[in-house]
Amino acid sequence: AQSVTQPDIHITVSEGASLELRCNYSYGATPYLFWYVQSPGQGLQLLLKYFSGDTLVQGIKGFEAEFKRSQSSFNLRKPSVHWSDAAEYFCAVGVPNAGNMLTFGGGTRLMVKP
Amino acid sequence: NAGVTQTPKFRVLKTGQSMTLLCAQDMNHEYMYWYRQDPGMGLRLIHYSVGEGTTAKGEVPDGYNVSRLKKQNFLLGLESAAPSQTSVYFCASSSSTSGMWETQYFGPGTRLLVL
């Protein structure tokens, strides 16, 4: 069965600093990988996704993620964090051809210092 | 175009009571999902549906039932609520294209407290 681990439960960065959120997955085949963001009291919004091809994928709001098969990782990055990026971030792996189910990691809560 | 909506937004139940959460989508999506979100555990799939009249179990189905009588609606039922079902419940939907992955769109969530 697939699984996703987000090692950092909380991360605090200063506004303008760079950001990297870690995600490790376990899946027996080529994974479909996703990053979602959840602002307080809101549902989840898709930031970006990786299916195949170029291992560096660009998303919305200036985020990018890099797929590294050798490390089973799909880390999320942003060069310069804005206060509005404070939210909870979820990495997920998708199971194709089975109702397109998603398995989520536990989430990383990002706080941004002024 | 409202997307995915959930009713109610917040509910308090006593142990043993029953209730139904309603999810509605206006995007003509085939697939619909119910998740629960608990601190530190991310979202876990309860049940899902790949089409009208069909449902299937997800990762944590015990204590819940679902129905998909209409394509646009997906109902989640708790027959006898337990404190362990205190959680935030999210509904999602996606279209289905053979051989392709379609993005899941999420509703705003229902916060349920079972006393």
Side-chain angles (χ1 to χ4, degrees), chain A residues 47-91:
Chain A
L47 280 177
L48 48 78
K49 59 191 176 187
Y50 171 79
F51 291 168
S52 64
D54 192 348
T55 57
L56 185 64
V57 293
Q58 303 296 320
I60 62 172
K61 304 186 180 186
F63 285 92
E64 66 178 26
E66 185 171 14
F67 170 58
K68 293 185 178 180
R69 185 186 300 275
S70 61
Q71 299 178 17
S72 297
S73 69
F74 188 56
N75 293 350
L76 182 71
R77 302 194 294 246
K78 187 170 185 178
S80 177
V81 169
H82 188 263
W83 64 266
S84 61
D85 293 324
E88 189 153 22
Y89 292 80
F90 294 95
C91 182

Short mmCIF file of all heavy atoms in Angstrom, two decimals, chain A residues 47-91:
data_model
loop_
_atom_site.label_atom_id
_atom_site.label_comp_id
_atom_site.label_asym_id
_atom_site.label_seq_id
_atom_site.Cartn_x
_atom_site.Cartn_y
_atom_site.Cartn_z
N LEU A 47 -1.84 22.91 -5.45
CA LEU A 47 -0.71 23.79 -5.80
C LEU A 47 -0.03 23.31 -7.08
O LEU A 47 0.29 24.12 -7.95
CB LEU A 47 0.31 23.78 -4.67
CG LEU A 47 0.06 24.64 -3.44
CD1 LEU A 47 1.17 24.41 -2.43
CD2 LEU A 47 -0.06 26.11 -3.82
N LEU A 48 0.25 22.02 -7.14
CA LEU A 48 0.93 21.46 -8.31
C LEU A 48 0.83 19.95 -8.28
O LEU A 48 0.45 19.37 -7.27
CB LEU A 48 2.40 21.90 -8.35
CG LEU A 48 3.24 21.78 -7.09
CD1 LEU A 48 3.69 20.36 -6.84
CD2 LEU A 48 4.43 22.71 -7.15
N LYS A 49 1.20 19.35 -9.41
CA LYS A 49 1.12 17.90 -9.53
C LYS A 49 2.23 17.40 -10.45
O LYS A 49 2.70 18.12 -11.33
CB LYS A 49 -0.24 17.47 -10.07
CG LYS A 49 -0.57 18.07 -11.43
CD LYS A 49 -2.03 17.84 -11.79
CE LYS A 49 -2.37 18.54 -13.10
NZ LYS A 49 -3.81 18.48 -13.41
N TYR A 50 2.64 16.15 -10.20
CA TYR A 50 3.62 15.49 -11.05
C TYR A 50 3.06 14.16 -11.50
O TYR A 50 2.65 13.34 -10.69
CB TYR A 50 4.93 15.27 -10.30
CG TYR A 50 5.89 14.40 -11.08
CD1 TYR A 50 6.63 14.93 -12.12
CD2 TYR A 50 6.00 13.04 -10.79
CE1 TYR A 50 7.48 14.12 -12.85
CE2 TYR A 50 6.86 12.23 -11.52
CZ TYR A 50 7.58 12.77 -12.55
OH TYR A 50 8.41 11.98 -13.29
N PHE A 51 3.09 13.97 -12.83
CA PHE A 51 2.66 12.68 -13.38
C PHE A 51 3.84 11.97 -14.05
O PHE A 51 4.03 10.78 -13.85
CB PHE A 51 1.54 12.87 -14.40
CG PHE A 51 0.24 13.32 -13.80
CD1 PHE A 51 -0.79 13.76 -14.61
CD2 PHE A 51 0.04 13.32 -12.43
CE1 PHE A 51 -1.99 14.17 -14.07
CE2 PHE A 51 -1.16 13.73 -11.87
CZ PHE A 51 -2.19 14.16 -12.71
N SER A 52 4.57 12.71 -14.86
CA SER A 52 5.71 12.12 -15.58
C SER A 52 6.48 13.27 -16.23
O SER A 52 6.09 14.44 -16.12
CB SER A 52 5.24 11.13 -16.65
OG SER A 52 4.48 11.80 -17.63
N GLY A 53 7.59 12.93 -16.86
CA GLY A 53 8.33 13.93 -17.61
C GLY A 53 9.28 14.73 -16.74
O GLY A 53 9.91 14.18 -15.83
N ASP A 54 9.37 16.02 -17.02
CA ASP A 54 10.29 16.90 -16.31
C ASP A 54 10.09 16.77 -14.80
O ASP A 54 8.97 16.91 -14.30
CB ASP A 54 10.06 18.34 -16.75
CG ASP A 54 11.17 19.28 -16.27
OD1 ASP A 54 11.98 18.86 -15.42
OD2 ASP A 54 11.22 20.41 -16.76
N THR A 55 11.16 16.52 -14.09
CA THR A 55 11.05 16.25 -12.65
C THR A 55 10.86 17.52 -11.82
O THR A 55 10.59 17.43 -10.63
CB THR A 55 12.27 15.48 -12.15
OG1 THR A 55 13.46 16.23 -12.46
CG2 THR A 55 12.35 14.11 -12.79
N LEU A 56 11.04 18.67 -12.42
CA LEU A 56 10.80 19.94 -11.73
C LEU A 56 9.49 20.51 -12.26
O LEU A 56 9.38 20.81 -13.45
CB LEU A 56 11.96 20.91 -11.97
CG LEU A 56 11.88 22.23 -11.21
CD1 LEU A 56 11.97 21.99 -9.70
CD2 LEU A 56 13.02 23.17 -11.65
N VAL A 57 8.51 20.63 -11.38
CA VAL A 57 7.20 21.10 -11.81
C VAL A 57 6.88 22.42 -11.16
O VAL A 57 7.22 22.67 -10.00
CB VAL A 57 6.10 20.07 -11.49
CG1 VAL A 57 6.29 18.83 -12.32
CG2 VAL A 57 6.06 19.71 -10.02
N GLN A 58 6.25 23.27 -11.93
CA GLN A 58 5.86 24.59 -11.45
C GLN A 58 4.38 24.57 -11.08
O GLN A 58 3.57 23.89 -11.71
CB GLN A 58 6.10 25.64 -12.53
CG GLN A 58 7.53 25.70 -13.02
CD GLN A 58 8.51 26.11 -11.94
OE1 GLN A 58 8.22 26.98 -11.13
NE2 GLN A 58 9.67 25.46 -11.91
N GLY A 59 4.06 25.33 -10.04
CA GLY A 59 2.68 25.40 -9.62
C GLY A 59 2.20 26.83 -9.50
O GLY A 59 2.84 27.76 -9.99
N ILE A 60 1.08 26.97 -8.83
CA ILE A 60 0.54 28.30 -8.62
C ILE A 60 1.24 28.99 -7.45
O ILE A 60 1.95 28.33 -6.67
CB ILE A 60 -0.98 28.25 -8.37
CG1 ILE A 60 -1.30 27.45 -7.10
CG2 ILE A 60 -1.70 27.64 -9.58
CD1 ILE A 60 -2.75 27.51 -6.69
N LYS A 61 1.06 30.28 -7.34
CA LYS A 61 1.56 31.09 -6.22
C LYS A 61 3.08 31.04 -6.10
O LYS A 61 3.62 31.28 -5.02
CB LYS A 61 0.93 30.65 -4.90
CG LYS A 61 -0.59 30.66 -4.90
CD LYS A 61 -1.15 30.35 -3.52
CE LYS A 61 -2.67 30.37 -3.55
NZ LYS A 61 -3.26 30.22 -2.21
N GLY A 62 3.78 30.74 -7.19
CA GLY A 62 5.24 30.76 -7.17
C GLY A 62 5.90 29.53 -6.58
O GLY A 62 7.11 29.51 -6.35
N PHE A 63 5.14 28.48 -6.34
CA PHE A 63 5.69 27.24 -5.79
C PHE A 63 6.20 26.32 -6.89
O PHE A 63 5.70 26.35 -8.01
CB PHE A 63 4.63 26.49 -4.97
CG PHE A 63 4.34 27.10 -3.64
CD1 PHE A 63 3.32 28.03 -3.49
CD2 PHE A 63 5.10 26.74 -2.54
CE1 PHE A 63 3.07 28.61 -2.26
CE2 PHE A 63 4.84 27.30 -1.29
CZ PHE A 63 3.82 28.24 -1.15
N GLU A 64 7.19 25.52 -6.54
CA GLU A 64 7.68 24.47 -7.42
C GLU A 64 8.01 23.24 -6.59
O GLU A 64 8.14 23.33 -5.36
CB GLU A 64 8.93 24.92 -8.18
CG GLU A 64 10.14 25.17 -7.31
CD GLU A 64 11.36 25.56 -8.13
OE1 GLU A 64 11.21 26.10 -9.24
OE2 GLU A 64 12.48 25.33 -7.63
N ALA A 65 8.09 22.10 -7.23
CA ALA A 65 8.45 20.88 -6.53
C ALA A 65 9.32 20.03 -7.44
O ALA A 65 9.18 20.07 -8.66
CB ALA A 65 7.21 20.10 -6.09
N GLU A 66 10.20 19.26 -6.82
CA GLU A 66 11.11 18.42 -7.58
C GLU A 66 10.92 16.97 -7.20
O GLU A 66 10.99 16.60 -6.02
CB GLU A 66 12.57 18.82 -7.35
CG GLU A 66 13.55 18.04 -8.24
CD GLU A 66 14.95 18.58 -8.17
OE1 GLU A 66 15.24 19.38 -7.26
OE2 GLU A 66 15.76 18.19 -9.03
N PHE A 67 10.69 16.13 -8.18
CA PHE A 67 10.55 14.69 -7.99
C PHE A 67 11.92 14.04 -8.08
O PHE A 67 12.62 14.21 -9.09
CB PHE A 67 9.61 14.11 -9.05
CG PHE A 67 9.58 12.61 -9.10
CD1 PHE A 67 9.21 11.87 -7.98
CD2 PHE A 67 9.91 11.92 -10.26
CE1 PHE A 67 9.17 10.49 -8.01
CE2 PHE A 67 9.86 10.52 -10.30
CZ PHE A 67 9.50 9.82 -9.18
N LYS A 68 12.30 13.32 -7.05
CA LYS A 68 13.56 12.58 -7.05
C LYS A 68 13.25 11.11 -6.76
O LYS A 68 13.04 10.73 -5.61
CB LYS A 68 14.52 13.14 -6.01
CG LYS A 68 15.01 14.55 -6.32
CD LYS A 68 16.06 15.01 -5.32
CE LYS A 68 16.57 16.40 -5.69
NZ LYS A 68 17.60 16.87 -4.74
N ARG A 69 13.27 10.32 -7.81
CA ARG A 69 12.90 8.91 -7.68
C ARG A 69 13.87 8.18 -6.76
O ARG A 69 13.46 7.36 -5.94
CB ARG A 69 12.89 8.24 -9.05
CG ARG A 69 12.40 6.79 -9.01
CD ARG A 69 12.54 6.14 -10.38
NE ARG A 69 11.77 6.83 -11.39
CZ ARG A 69 10.49 6.59 -11.61
NH1 ARG A 69 9.85 5.68 -10.90
NH2 ARG A 69 9.85 7.24 -12.57
N SER A 70 15.15 8.50 -6.85
CA SER A 70 16.16 7.78 -6.06
C SER A 70 15.97 8.01 -4.57
O SER A 70 16.35 7.17 -3.74
CB SER A 70 17.56 8.19 -6.48
OG SER A 70 17.75 9.58 -6.25
N GLN A 71 15.40 9.13 -4.21
CA GLN A 71 15.17 9.46 -2.80
C GLN A 71 13.71 9.30 -2.40
O GLN A 71 13.36 9.58 -1.25
CB GLN A 71 15.63 10.90 -2.53
CG GLN A 71 17.11 11.12 -2.78
CD GLN A 71 17.54 12.56 -2.56
OE1 GLN A 71 16.84 13.34 -1.92
NE2 GLN A 71 18.70 12.92 -3.09
N SER A 72 12.85 8.89 -3.32
CA SER A 72 11.41 8.79 -3.07
C SER A 72 10.89 10.08 -2.44
O SER A 72 10.16 10.06 -1.44
CB SER A 72 11.09 7.59 -2.17
OG SER A 72 11.46 6.39 -2.79
N SER A 73 11.31 11.19 -3.03
CA SER A 73 10.92 12.47 -2.45
C SER A 73 10.25 13.37 -3.47
O SER A 73 10.43 13.22 -4.69
CB SER A 73 12.14 13.18 -1.86
OG SER A 73 13.00 13.61 -2.89
N PHE A 74 9.47 14.30 -2.96
CA PHE A 74 8.78 15.28 -3.79
C PHE A 74 8.67 16.55 -2.95
O PHE A 74 7.61 16.91 -2.44
CB PHE A 74 7.41 14.75 -4.19
CG PHE A 74 6.67 15.59 -5.21
CD1 PHE A 74 7.26 15.91 -6.43
CD2 PHE A 74 5.39 16.05 -4.97
CE1 PHE A 74 6.59 16.67 -7.39
CE2 PHE A 74 4.71 16.82 -5.90
CZ PHE A 74 5.30 17.12 -7.11
N ASN A 75 9.79 17.25 -2.80
CA ASN A 75 9.85 18.41 -1.91
C ASN A 75 9.32 19.66 -2.59
O ASN A 75 9.55 19.92 -3.77
CB ASN A 75 11.28 18.64 -1.45
CG ASN A 75 11.78 17.52 -0.57
OD1 ASN A 75 11.01 16.65 -0.14
ND2 ASN A 75 13.08 17.52 -0.30
N LEU A 76 8.62 20.46 -1.79
CA LEU A 76 8.02 21.70 -2.26
C LEU A 76 8.93 22.87 -1.92
O LEU A 76 9.44 22.93 -0.78
CB LEU A 76 6.65 21.89 -1.60
CG LEU A 76 5.84 23.12 -2.01
CD1 LEU A 76 5.32 22.97 -3.43
CD2 LEU A 76 4.68 23.33 -1.04
N ARG A 77 9.10 23.81 -2.85
CA ARG A 77 10.00 24.94 -2.61
C ARG A 77 9.34 26.24 -3.06
O ARG A 77 8.48 26.26 -3.95
CB ARG A 77 11.32 24.75 -3.36
CG ARG A 77 12.06 23.48 -2.99
CD ARG A 77 13.49 23.53 -3.49
NE ARG A 77 13.55 23.52 -4.95
CZ ARG A 77 14.06 22.53 -5.65
NH1 ARG A 77 14.51 21.44 -5.03
NH2 ARG A 77 14.14 22.60 -6.97
N LYS A 78 9.82 27.31 -2.41
CA LYS A 78 9.45 28.65 -2.86
C LYS A 78 10.63 29.57 -2.54
O LYS A 78 11.14 29.54 -1.41
CB LYS A 78 8.18 29.14 -2.16
CG LYS A 78 7.68 30.48 -2.72
CD LYS A 78 6.30 30.83 -2.22
CE LYS A 78 5.79 32.11 -2.90
NZ LYS A 78 4.42 32.48 -2.49
N PRO A 79 11.08 30.38 -3.48
CA PRO A 79 12.28 31.18 -3.28
C PRO A 79 12.10 32.28 -2.22
O PRO A 79 13.05 32.59 -1.50
CB PRO A 79 12.54 31.82 -4.66
CG PRO A 79 11.70 31.07 -5.62
CD PRO A 79 10.56 30.50 -4.86
N SER A 80 10.92 32.86 -2.13
CA SER A 80 10.70 33.97 -1.23
C SER A 80 9.27 33.89 -0.68
O SER A 80 8.31 34.06 -1.42
CB SER A 80 10.92 35.30 -1.96
OG SER A 80 10.64 36.40 -1.10
N VAL A 81 9.17 33.65 0.60
CA VAL A 81 7.86 33.40 1.22
C VAL A 81 7.18 34.72 1.56
O VAL A 81 7.82 35.68 2.02
CB VAL A 81 8.04 32.56 2.50
CG1 VAL A 81 6.76 32.51 3.31
CG2 VAL A 81 8.48 31.15 2.13
N HIS A 82 5.88 34.76 1.35
CA HIS A 82 5.05 35.91 1.68
C HIS A 82 4.19 35.56 2.89
O HIS A 82 3.88 34.39 3.12
CB HIS A 82 4.17 36.26 0.46
CG HIS A 82 3.39 37.52 0.58
ND1 HIS A 82 2.08 37.55 0.99
CD2 HIS A 82 3.76 38.80 0.34
CE1 HIS A 82 1.65 38.80 1.00
NE2 HIS A 82 2.65 39.58 0.62
N TRP A 83 3.77 36.59 3.64
CA TRP A 83 2.98 36.31 4.84
C TRP A 83 1.72 35.52 4.50
O TRP A 83 1.23 34.71 5.30
CB TRP A 83 2.60 37.61 5.56
CG TRP A 83 1.71 38.53 4.77
CD1 TRP A 83 2.09 39.56 3.98
CD2 TRP A 83 0.28 38.47 4.68
NE1 TRP A 83 1.00 40.16 3.40
CE2 TRP A 83 -0.13 39.52 3.81
CE3 TRP A 83 -0.70 37.65 5.24
CZ2 TRP A 83 -1.46 39.74 3.50
CZ3 TRP A 83 -2.03 37.88 4.94
CH2 TRP A 83 -2.40 38.92 4.08
N SER A 84 1.18 35.72 3.29
CA SER A 84 -0.05 35.04 2.91
C SER A 84 0.16 33.55 2.64
O SER A 84 -0.82 32.82 2.43
CB SER A 84 -0.65 35.70 1.67
OG SER A 84 0.26 35.62 0.58
N ASP A 85 1.42 33.10 2.64
CA ASP A 85 1.69 31.67 2.45
C ASP A 85 1.48 30.86 3.72
O ASP A 85 1.53 29.62 3.68
CB ASP A 85 3.12 31.46 1.95
CG ASP A 85 3.34 32.01 0.55
OD1 ASP A 85 2.41 31.91 -0.28
OD2 ASP A 85 4.44 32.55 0.29
N ALA A 86 1.27 31.53 4.84
CA ALA A 86 1.02 30.81 6.09
C ALA A 86 -0.23 29.95 5.94
O ALA A 86 -1.32 30.46 5.65
CB ALA A 86 0.85 31.80 7.23
N ALA A 87 -0.05 28.65 6.12
CA ALA A 87 -1.14 27.70 5.86
C ALA A 87 -0.64 26.31 6.22
O ALA A 87 0.49 26.15 6.69
CB ALA A 87 -1.56 27.74 4.40
N GLU A 88 -1.47 25.32 5.97
CA GLU A 88 -1.02 23.94 6.12
C GLU A 88 -0.88 23.33 4.73
O GLU A 88 -1.72 23.53 3.86
CB GLU A 88 -1.99 23.12 6.97
CG GLU A 88 -1.45 21.74 7.33
CD GLU A 88 -2.02 21.17 8.61
OE1 GLU A 88 -3.11 21.62 9.04
OE2 GLU A 88 -1.38 20.27 9.19
N TYR A 89 0.20 22.59 4.56
CA TYR A 89 0.54 22.03 3.26
C TYR A 89 0.53 20.51 3.34
O TYR A 89 1.10 19.91 4.26
CB TYR A 89 1.91 22.52 2.80
CG TYR A 89 1.91 24.01 2.50
CD1 TYR A 89 2.01 24.94 3.53
CD2 TYR A 89 1.78 24.47 1.19
CE1 TYR A 89 1.96 26.29 3.26
CE2 TYR A 89 1.75 25.83 0.92
CZ TYR A 89 1.84 26.73 1.96
OH TYR A 89 1.80 28.08 1.69
N PHE A 90 -0.12 19.91 2.35
CA PHE A 90 -0.25 18.46 2.31
C PHE A 90 0.34 17.91 1.02
O PHE A 90 0.02 18.38 -0.07
CB PHE A 90 -1.71 18.04 2.40
CG PHE A 90 -2.38 18.35 3.70
CD1 PHE A 90 -3.11 19.51 3.86
CD2 PHE A 90 -2.25 17.48 4.77
CE1 PHE A 90 -3.72 19.80 5.08
CE2 PHE A 90 -2.86 17.76 5.99
CZ PHE A 90 -3.59 18.93 6.14
N CYS A 91 1.16 16.89 1.17
CA CYS A 91 1.66 16.12 0.05
C CYS A 91 0.77 14.89 -0.09
O CYS A 91 0.28 14.34 0.92
CB CYS A 91 3.11 15.71 0.33
SG CYS A 91 3.92 14.78 -0.98
#
